[in-house]
Amino acid sequence: MFPLRSICMTLVGLIGVGLAAGALNSPEKVAAEYGTGWLFRQFGIYGVAGALVLIGLPLFIAGIIGIRRYWRARKWRSIG
């Protein structure tokens, strides 16, 4: 079966880490756009970006591991 869950996890992880990098790259732009939101007022730019990294990075790693397991199992089945 195709590793759709792993691919989705990898994509969501990449998007989360990319959004965090973009937010940390231009904090003034993010503050101007989202500065009035509750989450941003409570935690600031570093708290929001840190949370995105803490969620995105494990998802990305788990997705890559799942895809790797799928390809190894597929390779093993085709040989044997």
Side-chain angles (χ1 to χ4, degrees), residues 43-60:
F43 300 108
I45 187 68
Y46 296 109
V48 173
L52 282 170
V53 169
L54 285 176
I55 293 169
L57 200 58
L59 282 174
F60 177 73

Side-chain angles (χ1 to χ4, degrees), residues 2-18 52-69:
F2 197 68
L4 188 59
R5 178 176 54 184
S6 297
I7 291 171
C8 290
M9 287 171 60
T10 303
L11 289 175
V12 169
L14 276 176
I15 290 170
V17 171
L52 282 170
V53 169
L54 285 176
I55 293 169
L57 200 58
L59 282 174
F60 177 73
I61 291 170
I64 293 296
I65 290 171
I67 292 170
R68 188 170 178 234
R69 283 184 180 176

